[in-house]
């Protein structure tokens, strides 16, 4: 596969590689929000929120539309919602495996 495609994919996943960015995307899955709404929902300060939104915008994961004095943020692609749902299923599967392994270890003599 072309190296540029690999780099594009890596950059996309790097854009998701921060807890606050994941939380922002999860909130945006429920609908468009402005910065104040995101801050209120996520309990994050303005500078951190702006920094993480900038990363998501620069990687074309979200976009913002100016509405008066605020900016309304949206998911660039609605499939992000599906991606997050699949990731949750994968993590749940790993947790189930880890719990099963822990039970085996605890029951060993």
């Amino acid at each position: 596969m072309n190296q540029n495609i690999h780099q594009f994919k890596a950059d996309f996943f790097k854009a998701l590689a921060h807890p606050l960015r994941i939380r922002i995307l999860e909130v945006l899955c429920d609908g468009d929000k402005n910065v104040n709404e995101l801050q209120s929902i996520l309990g994050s300060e303005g500078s951190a929120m702006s920094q993480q939104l900038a990363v998501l915008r620069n990687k074309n994961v979200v976009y913002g539309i100016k509405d008066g004095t605020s900016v309304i943020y949206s998911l660039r692609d609605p499939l992000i919602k599906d991606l997050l749902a699949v990731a949750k299923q994968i993590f749940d599967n790993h947790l189930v495996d880890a719990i099963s392994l822990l039970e085996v270890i605890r029951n060993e003599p």
Side-chain angles (χ1 to χ4, degrees), residues 86-101:
V86 169
K88 182 183 181 311
Q89 290 174 327
I90 292 168
F91 302 146
D92 287 351
N93 291 343
H94 285 283
L95 289 173
V96 167
D97 291 344
I99 289 168
S100 297
L101 181 59

Side-chain angles (χ1 to χ4, degrees), residues 57-108:
R57 272 193 326 269
N58 291 337
K59 296 300 180 185
N60 291 314
V61 179
V62 301
Y63 66 97
I65 296 176
K66 191 99 166 130
D67 182 29
T69 59
S70 64
V71 177
I72 308 296
Y73 286 94
S74 306
L75 297 176
R76 169 100 29 212
D77 189 323
L79 288 174
I80 295 290
K81 188 173 185 176
D82 295 337
L83 176 67
L84 293 173
V86 169
K88 182 183 181 311
Q89 290 174 327
I90 292 168
F91 302 146
D92 287 351
N93 291 343
H94 285 283
L95 289 173
V96 167
D97 291 344
I99 289 168
S100 297
L101 181 59
L102 180 61
E103 288 174 356
V104 168
I105 291 170
R106 285 185 174 167
N107 291 325
E108 286 182 344

Side-chain angles (χ1 to χ4, degrees), residues 9-78:
K9 289 177 182 180
D11 289 342
F12 174 81
F13 283 108
K14 283 180 195 174
L16 304 181
H18 190 281
L20 183 53
R21 292 193 293 259
I22 295 292
R23 292 172 63 207
I24 290 168
L25 294 175
E26 289 172 341
V27 169
L28 291 178
C29 284
D30 294 331
D32 304 344
K33 304 280 186 282
N34 66 36
V35 175
N36 290 334
E37 291 171 317
L38 289 168
Q39 284 178 235
S40 176
I41 292 167
L42 298 174
S44 179
E45 64 183 49
S47 61
M49 183 67 63
S50 295
Q51 182 182 34
Q52 300 312 325
L53 283 167
V55 171
L56 292 170
R57 272 193 326 269
N58 291 337
K59 296 300 180 185
N60 291 314
V61 179
V62 301
Y63 66 97
I65 296 176
K66 191 99 166 130
D67 182 29
T69 59
S70 64
V71 177
I72 308 296
Y73 286 94
S74 306
L75 297 176
R76 169 100 29 212
D77 189 323

